[in-house]
Amino acid sequence: MELLKQRIREVGTVLSNEVIKLDAILNHAVDPALTTAMGREFTRLFREDNVTKILTIESSGIPIAFAAAQDLNVPMVFARRKKSLNSDTSETYSERVPSFTKGYVTDIMVSREFLTAEDRILVIDDFIANGDAARGLIRIIRRSGAHLVGVGIAVEKSFQAGGRTIRESGVRVESLAKITSLAPGRIEFE
Amino acid sequence: MELLKQRIREVGTVLSNEVIKLDAILNHAVDPALTTAMGREFTRLFREDNVTKILTIESSGIPIAFAAAQDLNVPMVFARRKKSLNSDTSETYSERVPSFTKGYVTDIMVSREFLTAEDRILVIDDFIANGDAARGLIRIIRRSGAHLVGVGIAVEKSFQAGGRTIRESGVRVESLAKITSLAPGRIEFE
């Protein structure tokens, strides 16, 4: 998606050979026009797949997943990263996932009531690096009996193994921008 | 907002006289049509106020704030609840806020680059109970020099003091549904 690549070039701050900060468009501030266009691009890619629900994980995936859900007019569910007073773990699927950027392990959970065997789920997230969050969501979908239609990612760091290994497991993964290498002042796309 | 009240009656689970679970529409699953309508209602209420940015806090406020940002075509910024590897605290405003539902204290932060003295900020959040999160966001806005246009809340629990005390401090607070009392099987609106 050319518009996304252009915005990444404009606002991305390369913090190391592995980390790019995209706070201005994805992880802290959100451009509604760009995000709406990303949501539409995912729904175009998965138009034939009869998606019944979009699943993402808090927080940065939510705006893109919501924009796709608007376009398809299906519910969006965001996995929670921890238990709150309002949650009941006896009614939830939970998975433990490490986070590459955050540097620690979190538990993610989805209430059983929002994933049924009749559902056809499109997973959407902002970033894929090692793929741990996406694999956690995929494990939850498998356990629920729902059908996984595929995974839509805004920015894939394709020099890390997440996208490749999930594709090798037979899952369709569509990324709107694939970064092949990072160096200060230089962002290379596939 | 009648549609929101109707949906709260349909899906709300009263967990105690103080806590209502709205996972099906706000805090875990999101109905895009309802959420888009809530965003539009906020932009209608604050149409004359030349809003330049919408500020919310992760995670449940994000879809509503994003829908309002789409409608006004202004950026949406979500305050983060903790520091990640990608953040630099020397460049951020931070405030410590207790959470009524979560039962613990979190630090919230907004990068200075996303709040300027020229900004006119509309705060949007899903719930207000004691108002600690909203007050934390308001303190951050004051410190940045930006102008606070007002606060838009989807669901106000008006038997708790948050909305009232913030209004008494001179801030405009608009809530789409005000719950005056909660009891199992009975949700009363203003």
Side-chain angles (χ1 to χ4, degrees), chain B residues 17 67 100 134:
Chain B
N17 289 349
F100 174 74

Side-chain angles (χ1 to χ4, degrees), chain B:
Chain B
M1 189 181 171
E2 271 315 308
L3 177 62
L4 177 58
K5 291 182 198 170
Q6 180 191 322
R7 297 288 285 135
I8 292 171
R9 283 192 197 95
E10 287 166 7
V11 304
T13 308
V14 177
L15 297 181
S16 74
N17 289 349
E18 293 196 324
V19 178
I20 179 169
K21 182 172 156 174
L22 290 172
D23 277 8
I25 53 171
L26 284 180
N27 306 115
H28 192 11
V30 170
D31 169 343
L34 173 66
T35 304
T36 302
M38 288 194 279
R40 293 234 169 95
E41 181 63 10
F42 286 127
T43 61
R44 189 186 68 74
L45 289 164
F46 291 95
R47 179 167 293 152
E48 310 297 324
D49 293 285
N50 301 312
V51 172
T52 64
K53 242 167 229 165
I54 310 246
L55 179 64
T56 188
I57 182 167
E58 59 183 351
S59 294
S60 301
I62 294 176
I64 314 167
F66 178 75
Q70 278 179 316
D71 202 36
L72 293 178
N73 198 25
V74 297
M76 183 267 280
V77 176
F78 54 99
R80 309 298 317 238
R81 282 191 192 272
K82 75 188 74 152
K83 190 178 174 302
S84 89
L85 232 169
N86 282 353
S87 301
D88 184 352
T89 46
S90 69
E91 299 173 352
T92 59
Y93 298 105
S94 293
E95 289 284 340
R96 180 150 288 187
V97 299
S99 166
F100 174 74
T101 9
K102 296 196 178 59
Y104 53 74
V105 167
T106 52
D107 291 316
I108 65 173
M109 78 90 188
V110 179
S111 291
R112 289 167 194 263
E113 67 180 306
F114 299 128
L115 287 180
T116 73
E118 287 69 47
D119 274 320
R120 296 176 60 82
I121 308 288
L122 171 58
V123 169
I124 288 185
D125 208 358
D126 58 328
F127 258 106
I128 194 163
N130 293 325
D132 295 299
R135 268 192 299 273
L137 293 176
I138 291 169
R139 286 195 299 272
I140 285 174
I141 292 166
R142 303 271 192 235
R143 290 169 56 204
S144 76
H147 179 76
L148 172 65
V149 158
V151 177
I153 298 289
V155 182
E156 175 173 350
K157 294 194 281 185
S158 56
F159 56 87
Q160 291 177 290
R164 178 175 56 74
T165 55
I166 293 173
R167 285 185 191 95
E168 285 172 359
S169 77
V171 174
R172 179 176 172 199
V173 180
E174 298 280 359
S175 300
L176 304 186
K178 286 185 190 174
I179 297 177
T180 53
S181 75
L182 283 174
R186 216 185 53 201
I187 304 166
E188 304 280 358
F189 293 100
E190 188 179 294

